[in-house]
Amino acid sequence: MTATDTRPAAAQHPAPAKSSVLRSGALMAAGSVVSRATGFVRSAVVLAALGTGFLGDGYAVANTVPNILYMLLIGGALNAVFVPELVRAAKEHRDGGSAYTDRLLTACTAALLVLTAAAVLAAPLVVDAYTPSSYTDAQRSTVVALARFCLPQILFYGLFTLLGQVLNARGRFGAMMWTPVLNNLVIIAVFGWFLKAAAGGDGLTAAETRLLGLGTTAGIVVQALALLPALRAARFRWRPRFDWRGSGLTRPLRNAGWLVLLVLTNQFAYWVVTKLSTTVQDRPGGSGFGYAAYSSAYQLWVVPQGIVTVSLVTALMPRMSAAAAGADLGSVRADVSYALRSSAALVLPAAALFAALAPWIMDCVSGYGEVTPEGVAAMAGMLIAFAPGLVAYSAQYVLARGFYALSDTRTPFFLNLVIVALNAGLSYAAYLLLPPRWAVTGMAAATSLAFIGGAVVTAYALSRRLGPRTGPRRAAALRTHLRLLAACLPAAAAGYGAARAADALGPFAAAAAGTAALALVVVLLARPLRLTEITDLLDSLRRKAGR
């Protein structure tokens, strides 16, 4: 769409209709499944190459820092503010928001360039903030070098988010979920080559450092550039505009400011966990299972939320934003309730699966190369500790998007302080009070408890903001969660029993048997417990299979 387009906004990129939400969500979920599957392979290859000791921790920090800084200073704002602002502009501006979109993209890209340059220059300070002081000079130099190669990812993370949100606002959701597959494939190839050509030893040569750092960044570059064909298909043409004064950017910048503060407080909690988990190995009796192990379990834990909840809410967000712009709070409430119930129908069984089958799942995902059986057991314990918080983590994501659709980022900031305080405080308590072998597992449990507390207070605040429900069922989402829990508890027991019975056949067979048993029990209990979100899905699958 060009800046000269003067068609009515509604004719250019209306919010998705109700009939398209599930279809769009399914397309994104499919892309997310493939992305996560290749992500598991990627994580396994990285762990096999670097292990869970210094090299694994050092690479994890160097590769995570760009994402931390991006989300800390601009990423969270782009994710939450962009779609509501673009939908509002499309409704209110005569050109459908084209000029407004160009200005917003230009301003954000300029900020990304400045942030990226500053981060590369400050790489030693950034690394010192996230690594223990016990690192030797050689170890610190390795991590700093890796970080310098990885920090340009900030720019391309930002471009990927900006362009992807433009596509989402126009009802084109698939590309943003599918292109991360290319990133994973690039990194799998890079680490595959490293495994073949590595010199061995406890450190990295200069050539190996360049290979891992530049190869990792190349994956993000490919991921961002792969959106260009979808943008051309959507007839989007970005024309940089610097006439920002008086252009209506004040509101999104103010909203973005609150989100920057929100992410800043989130990263404080993350910094606490990173710092403590990378130093726990240095305590007397340290186990060697620190940040790399925590990160691997965490990455697996967030998969169901990324596949199910993110896909569904991304499809709903333009519609919710359009309803909020029209002051239709009842429709916003209905969409939030629908997202909570529909996502829980798959996320809660996934949490039960992690709790029941963690040892076998982690063995399948990470039990390769330098990872020992003790390391697999440690990561399995962390996954079990994470599991109870998965549903709350998913619900928190939905509830926060309810506020963002209302163009309110201030309230979520203050509510998020509950999560930050609980996560940082309980993680520090776990570090102080638990033996080194269990300290990082305690930090995973702290994360679960933090999200449970945060989801409760956020649900209460959003319910008050949206007003009373007009229908007869005031606690539909809560009742759905309780019914799902009633189905998943016996299902988890059945899954664990099946996995134990198949254990002699290996972790893949045990995980498959446990998953099948758990799913079967949930399906059998769906109709007696009136789990309409599951029965409707099953009926839809039967109809499609019968065609």
Side-chain angles (χ1 to χ4, degrees):
M1 183 182 301
T2 66
T4 58
D5 195 340
T6 58
R7 291 174 294 166
Q12 295 177 60
H13 42 88
K18 290 186 177 182
S19 60
S20 70
V21 169
L22 286 179
R23 184 169 61 251
S24 299
L27 174 63
M28 288 184 285
S32 189
V33 166
V34 177
S35 175
R36 299 290 179 167
T38 54
F40 290 151
V41 178
R42 163 185 166 166
S43 296
V45 172
V46 171
L47 279 171
L50 303 180
T52 59
F54 157 69
L55 286 181
D57 279 2
Y59 174 80
V61 169
N63 187 39
T64 305
V65 158
N67 196 31
I68 291 172
L69 292 179
Y70 162 67
M71 292 301 297
L72 178 64
L73 298 175
I74 196 170
L78 299 185
N79 275 310
V81 171
F82 228 65
V83 168
E85 287 299 324
L86 296 184
V87 170
R88 186 183 297 271
K91 291 173 69 71
E92 297 176 352
H93 296 188
R94 288 181 58 82
D95 67 347
S98 295
Y100 183 85
T101 301
D102 289 339
R103 293 186 186 102
L104 198 53
L105 281 171
T106 305
C108 292
T109 302
L112 284 166
L113 286 168
V114 172
L115 172 60
T116 302
V120 172
L121 291 174
L125 297 176
V126 173
V127 167
D128 287 345
Y130 284 92
T131 55
S133 58
S134 60
Y135 275 7
T136 65
D137 289 342
Q139 289 174 327
R140 179 179 179 274
S141 296
T142 296
V143 180
V144 169
L146 281 171
R148 280 217 163 101
F149 288 125
C150 290
L151 282 166
Q153 294 174 23
I154 293 171
L155 173 62
F156 295 96
Y157 273 127
L159 290 174
F160 173 74
T161 300
L162 287 169
L163 300 177
Q165 297 291 17
V166 170
L167 288 171
N168 289 347
R170 284 160 171 72
R172 295 173 177 261
F173 304 102
M176 198 174 184
M177 290 296 185
W178 281 92
T179 51
V181 174
L182 300 176
N183 174 29
N184 290 332
L185 293 177
V186 169
I187 295 177
I188 290 168
V190 167
F191 275 85
W193 178 259
F194 173 80
L195 280 169
K196 178 181 178 180
D202 296 329
L204 297 174
T205 66
E208 291 169 346
T209 302
R210 284 195 300 273
L211 170 67
L212 299 186
L214 292 177
T216 301
T217 296
I220 302 299
V221 174
V222 170
Q223 174 178 306
L225 296 181
L227 293 178
L228 295 180
L231 289 162
R232 284 196 295 269
R235 298 184 179 181
F236 172 74
R237 300 294 183 269
W238 175 22
R239 297 179 177 180
R241 298 186 61 146
F242 296 90
D243 53 336
W244 301 336
R245 186 181 297 275
S247 61
L249 295 182
T250 302
R251 183 181 61 230
L253 291 177
R254 182 175 61 248
N255 288 341
W258 284 109
L259 280 165
V260 168
L261 291 176
L262 184 150
V263 177
L264 178 64
T265 55
N266 271 344
Q267 292 307 317
F268 169 75
Y270 183 80
W271 173 81
V272 169
V273 172
T274 304
K275 195 75 172 178
L276 295 178
S277 61
T278 53
T279 57
V280 72
Q281 302 178 61
D282 300 328
R283 293 171 58 190
S287 63
F289 309 125
Y291 176 69
Y294 177 97
S295 179
S296 296
Y298 181 91
Q299 289 172 14
L300 180 58
W301 176 66
V302 300
V303 166
Q305 186 264 358
I307 292 174
V308 178
T309 312
V310 173
S311 299
L312 180 61
V313 175
T314 301
L316 281 171
M317 196 65 184
R319 196 173 84 190
M320 291 167 59
S321 300
D328 185 3
L329 299 185
S331 293
V332 176
R333 174 185 276 278
D335 281 340
V336 169
S337 177
Y338 171 76
L340 288 171
R341 290 181 283 111
S342 298
S343 60
L346 295 177
V347 170
L348 209 158
L353 188 76
F354 288 158
L357 307 182
W360 299 281
I361 292 174
M362 289 308 308
D363 201 4
C364 293
V365 173
S366 303
Y368 309 101
E370 298 292 327
V371 181
T372 64
E374 292 78 11
V376 171
M379 288 186 283
M382 295 173 197
L383 184 59
I384 293 171
F386 275 127
L390 180 59
V391 179
Y393 179 59
S394 174
Q396 177 69 21
Y397 185 91
V398 174
L399 296 164
R401 268 60 191 173
F403 279 109
Y404 298 158
L406 298 168
S407 293
D408 179 3
T409 56
R410 181 176 180 271
T411 304
F413 163 72
F414 289 107
L415 294 170
N416 193 65
L417 295 178
V418 175
I419 299 174
V420 171
L422 287 172
N423 198 4
L426 293 175
S427 293
Y428 188 61
Y431 177 81
L432 290 179
L433 301 177
L434 295 178
R437 166 63 180 82
W438 296 104
V440 181
T441 303
M443 296 177 202
T447 300
S448 285
L449 292 172
F451 277 110
I452 291 170
V456 170
V457 297
T458 306
Y460 176 76
L462 183 61
S463 179
R464 288 179 59 86
R465 175 70 178 273
L466 296 176
R469 180 184 295 275
T470 56
R473 292 162 47 181
R474 290 183 55 83
L478 178 58
R479 280 203 293 267
T480 297
H481 281 72
L482 292 175
R483 290 181 186 136
L484 282 165
L485 183 62
C488 287
L489 288 176
Y496 178 77
R500 285 291 300 270
D503 186 52
L505 301 176
F508 284 95
T515 301
L518 188 148
L520 178 61
V521 173
V522 170
V523 168
L524 291 175
L525 292 176
R527 291 196 187 279
L529 292 174
R530 302 194 306 280
L531 296 172
T532 55
E533 291 74 20
I534 294 179
T535 56
D536 288 349
L537 176 62
L538 294 172
D539 291 341
S540 175
L541 293 174
R542 289 193 193 98
R543 287 193 298 270
K544 290 180 179 180
R547 291 177 182 174

